[in-house]
Amino acid sequence: MAVFAVWSAMAASLGWACGSMLAHRPLQRVGVFEFTRIQLLTSSAILCVICTVLGYWQSVDWSQWPVYVMSIFVSVIVGNLAMMECLRRAGPRQTELLLSLKTPIVAVLAFAFLGETLSFAEVMGIAIALFGICLAILFGSSESEEKSAWESGGLLLAVLLGFVAAGSQGVGFLILKPLLLAGTEPLAASAVRITGAAFVVALVGLMPLSTVRASAQMSWMLLFRVVLPGFIGYGVSVSLLLYAYTYYDAAVASVLGSLSPVFILPLLWWRTGNMPAPLAWGGAALSLGGTAVILL
């Protein structure tokens, strides 16, 4: 199962890299709240149908609803709204850099509350992979792109939003691990989280506030461009990462689920036609080397 967990976490990273690239432009057009609301509503509907067809609801222990409520509020609502706003202000590359902070946060919390300990090789592998991730992000695009992205949203606010998103997402995943170990199907746990968040966000959307209104006229094509990265992120990648959390140490699963900046390099190259700097590819190689150290 360890091999399955590793591949699940890495597939989640690939999904988030693709989703981040697909989401950047429609997010700027629609606005953070409306973008999040549409994604949550559509992704929850799809996940509920899948869990019903596969019979996964039987695995859910509904007496543990306070845990789900906490995960929904901390991870899905606070974490994702902060991430979307950070993405809008700083762009996909800088957002991924800040989100990589969740790995050390998860490692500390997993040790403190779940008693998970890491071997020396795993710690070294995590450190190597994180260093490679940072290199891949920092040198993944041109200096002018980096400068304009930071200046457009403000460095301090972007860092704060990224830190809030990283901490919230890490905590939201980690508190579900005891339920997953007790037999809850990860896909069902993901469906509960997303459905609860969709309900809350839908209620907030009924309020007469300008901040919850779409900033662009919705078309069928724009709707598709909003829904697709949402399902890739909420429906596919989150479920895959929960599988990894179930069968592997949380810190290891977290770092393997943070390889999006490595996978995003060839996507950026394909989209822009500009090959990333050699140091970016070196960072990608270090990340894969750190992953190998963890596994071996």
Side-chain angles (χ1 to χ4, degrees):
M1 298 303 279
V3 174
F4 174 73
V6 168
W7 283 108
S8 294
M10 296 181 70
S13 291
L14 177 60
W16 274 313
C18 295
S20 180
M21 293 292 297
L22 293 172
H24 186 45
R25 290 181 181 175
L27 172 61
Q28 291 180 319
R29 292 184 58 186
V30 175
V32 173
F33 186 86
E34 183 66 9
F35 187 85
T36 303
R37 176 170 59 178
I38 293 173
Q39 288 194 332
L40 287 173
L41 288 171
T42 54
S43 297
S44 64
I46 296 172
L47 285 175
C48 286
V49 170
I50 294 174
C51 289
T52 300
V53 171
L54 298 178
Y56 285 165
W57 295 120
Q58 298 177 0
S59 69
V60 179
D61 183 1
W62 297 106
S63 66
Q64 299 295 327
W65 63 267
V67 179
Y68 288 108
V69 170
M70 185 180 300
S71 178
I72 289 167
F73 179 77
V74 173
S75 180
V76 183
I77 297 178
V78 175
N80 281 283
L81 285 176
M83 181 189 69
M84 292 298 178
E85 184 62 21
C86 183
L87 178 63
R88 186 181 71 85
R89 291 176 176 272
R93 194 167 60 88
Q94 289 83 2
T95 299
E96 292 293 346
L97 173 63
L98 295 168
L99 289 179
S100 66
L101 293 172
K102 69 175 174 280
T103 297
I105 294 173
V106 167
V108 172
L109 293 177
F111 173 77
F113 296 102
L114 299 180
E116 290 188 0
T117 57
L118 299 173
S119 67
F120 178 76
E122 287 176 326
V123 172
M124 290 300 298
I126 289 174
I128 294 171
L130 281 176
F131 182 67
I133 289 170
C134 291
L135 283 179
I137 296 168
L138 291 173
F139 297 96
S141 64
S142 68
E143 183 179 352
S144 60
E145 288 175 338
E146 180 181 353
K147 183 178 179 181
S148 63
W150 283 113
E151 288 182 348
S152 64
L155 174 60
L156 182 60
L157 183 56
V159 170
L160 178 61
L161 288 167
F163 185 80
V164 170
S168 299
Q169 290 182 7
V171 171
F173 280 117
L174 192 62
I175 60 178
L176 287 178
K177 180 157 187 176
L179 302 185
L180 298 172
L181 292 175
T184 301
E185 175 63 37
L187 192 65
S190 180
V192 172
R193 292 172 69 252
I194 302 304
T195 302
F199 177 74
V200 173
V201 171
L203 289 180
V204 175
L206 298 176
M207 298 180 180
L209 302 173
S210 59
T211 55
V212 303
R213 297 291 174 256
S215 57
Q217 185 69 31
M218 187 62 66
S219 64
W220 285 109
M221 179 55 66
L222 181 57
L223 179 62
F224 174 76
R225 293 177 64 192
V226 173
V227 171
L228 179 60
F231 181 67
I232 293 173
Y234 292 119
V236 178
S237 293
V238 169
S239 300
L240 288 171
L241 188 59
L242 285 176
Y243 274 103
Y245 267 68
T246 304
Y247 300 112
Y248 220 146
D249 291 333
V252 176
S254 179
V255 73
L256 295 178
S258 301
L259 294 175
S260 302
V262 174
F263 292 119
I264 213 170
L265 289 178
L267 296 178
L268 283 171
W269 188 8
W270 173 73
R271 191 188 73 175
T272 65
N274 298 323
M275 189 172 116
L279 279 175
W281 294 115
L286 277 176
S287 298
L288 297 178
T291 302
V293 172
I294 292 171
L295 296 179
L296 298 177

